[in-house]
Amino acid sequence: MTTSVPADDQVRRQELTAFLRSRRERLSPEQAGLPPTGRRRTPGLRREEVAYLAGMGVTWYTWLEQGRDITVSDQVLAAIATTLRLDPYERVHLYELAGHPAPPMSRDGKAIPDAVLVMVRHLEPIPAAVINARFDLLAYNHAYEHLVGGLDDVPFEDRNLLLLMFTSPRWRARVLDWEDAATRLAGRFRAGMASHAADSSRKTLVKRLRQGSPDFVRLWEQHDVRAPENFTKRYLHPEVGLLTLDYTQLWLGERSELKLTTYTPADDETWAKVRLLRESGS
């Protein structure tokens, strides 16, 4: 006699399968610290490589990725999350899909290569930040903090560009052309929803934004979608006034969902002002 699997469990396992495969395929052997192996027929890591790097059996990892009814420990999930370089939000999503309580949100992890963090620091006085596909701010430099103001005081789990754009009066006051910026951001987020339909954290974020911002509801219900684009942004800083900055997005890998964003001064006046902000530490 076979026992039927509850529909919710079946959906969760299917989502776990898709999630693990997508995260495995976006990571190259070189990025994972393995020696180059030449041309491959499929992208990313193989299952046996993930198992090796996570310190678990190939069969056990294969069964997990196939969505079989097995039990894994928090330690195993943590090892897989580290191996696949999941950011803090992806790590929580992995635990939820595996039927485990979500771990405490932490900014620590290996999602961002150390070399990128060094780059972010040394780009100053150019503001720079690393964000994920959900528009969570994972890292930023002092120049970025000076640009937007008060970000260090925001809890890590609330450092999300959508939350800040639509619910923070301080953020809104600094962003000139707010309507255009908010429309672009909402459109980019909606464009990414199709490929992340199983991500419960995105649905939770949308619910929170709907509850907290009539402007988000208005723009969200327009169903506009936007492609990634580099463009000029304007900020009004309370100390130095108008800042005109060229916004550039640089993805960290061919299949990576993390990107480095930079805000390069677009004119000599803005260059002088960002240098002044760095010197004054205001």
Side-chain angles (χ1 to χ4, degrees):
M1 179 179 177
T2 59
T3 303
S4 61
V5 179
D8 288 348
D9 271 1
Q10 187 65 32
V11 170
R12 177 176 57 79
R13 292 178 195 173
Q14 290 172 353
E15 292 177 355
L16 177 61
T17 293
F19 180 71
L20 285 174
R21 183 184 298 122
S22 69
R23 292 324 184 250
R24 172 170 59 82
E25 291 178 348
R26 76 179 183 182
L27 194 64
S28 69
E30 293 80 5
Q31 289 173 319
L34 295 173
T37 58
R39 187 174 179 83
R40 295 185 171 210
R41 281 192 268 177
T42 57
L45 294 176
R46 300 186 178 105
R47 285 172 176 167
E48 57 267 27
E49 291 169 333
V50 175
Y52 167 75
L53 292 168
M56 61 188 298
V58 176
T59 300
W60 203 247
Y61 176 78
T62 300
W63 286 353
L64 178 65
E65 189 177 295
Q66 289 176 341
R68 297 201 189 186
D69 186 13
I70 62 173
T71 300
V72 294
S73 66
D74 285 352
Q75 290 79 6
V76 167
L77 292 176
I80 293 172
T82 299
T83 296
L84 297 179
R85 295 180 176 268
L86 302 186
D87 69 40
Y89 301 89
E90 293 173 326
R91 184 179 293 256
V92 168
H93 189 52
L94 170 64
Y95 276 68
E96 291 175 343
L97 291 179
H100 283 239
M105 184 67 73
S106 170
R107 72 189 67 190
D108 297 327
K110 298 297 183 182
I112 307 174
D114 291 340
V116 174
L117 295 175
V118 172
M119 185 190 308
V120 170
R121 289 196 300 271
H122 286 276
L123 277 171
E124 295 194 15
I126 296 174
V130 177
I131 64 176
N132 62 14
R134 209 185 78 126
F135 295 96
D136 298 302
L137 278 161
L138 303 181
Y140 54 88
N141 60 15
H142 291 301
Y144 188 83
E145 160 66 15
H146 295 160
L147 172 65
V148 299
L151 192 55
D152 288 345
D153 297 328
V154 177
F156 179 74
E157 60 271 20
D158 290 339
R159 293 177 190 172
N160 176 276
L161 292 182
L162 287 146
L163 285 175
L164 293 165
M165 181 71 77
F166 286 100
T167 67
S168 170
R170 175 186 291 180
W171 191 279
R172 184 165 185 159
R174 294 203 181 194
V175 177
L176 292 179
D177 314 305
W178 183 91
E179 183 72 21
D180 177 68
T183 300
R184 289 173 187 264
L185 184 59
R188 282 295 305 123
F189 186 63
R190 181 173 280 285
M193 287 292 286
S195 58
H196 297 82
D199 188 345
S200 61
S201 69
R202 284 175 174 255
K203 298 172 185 176
T204 300
L205 178 58
V206 169
K207 181 178 179 180
R208 184 174 176 185
L209 288 163
R210 279 183 171 277
Q211 293 172 342
S213 171
D215 282 318
F216 176 80
V217 174
R218 172 175 57 84
L219 293 175
W220 192 247
E221 291 182 350
Q222 291 176 7
H223 291 268
D224 289 341
V225 294
R226 294 292 186 100
E229 53 187 334
N230 299 326
F231 57 99
T232 300
K233 294 189 176 188
R234 300 193 306 159
Y235 289 83
L236 185 62
H237 193 279
E239 300 297 328
V240 298
L242 175 65
L243 296 169
T244 305
L245 304 154
D246 290 330
Y247 174 68
T248 306
Q249 304 170 80
L250 305 167
W251 275 261
L252 301 189
E254 183 180 356
R255 291 175 294 274
S256 176
E257 293 189 340
L258 299 184
K259 61 184 176 182
L260 170 65
T261 60
T262 60
Y263 299 73
T264 308
D267 52 52
D268 291 341
E269 183 179 355
T270 300
W271 268 114
K273 290 177 178 178
V274 297
R275 291 190 177 105
L276 178 63
L277 286 174
R278 182 185 186 184
E279 293 169 2
S280 65
S282 64

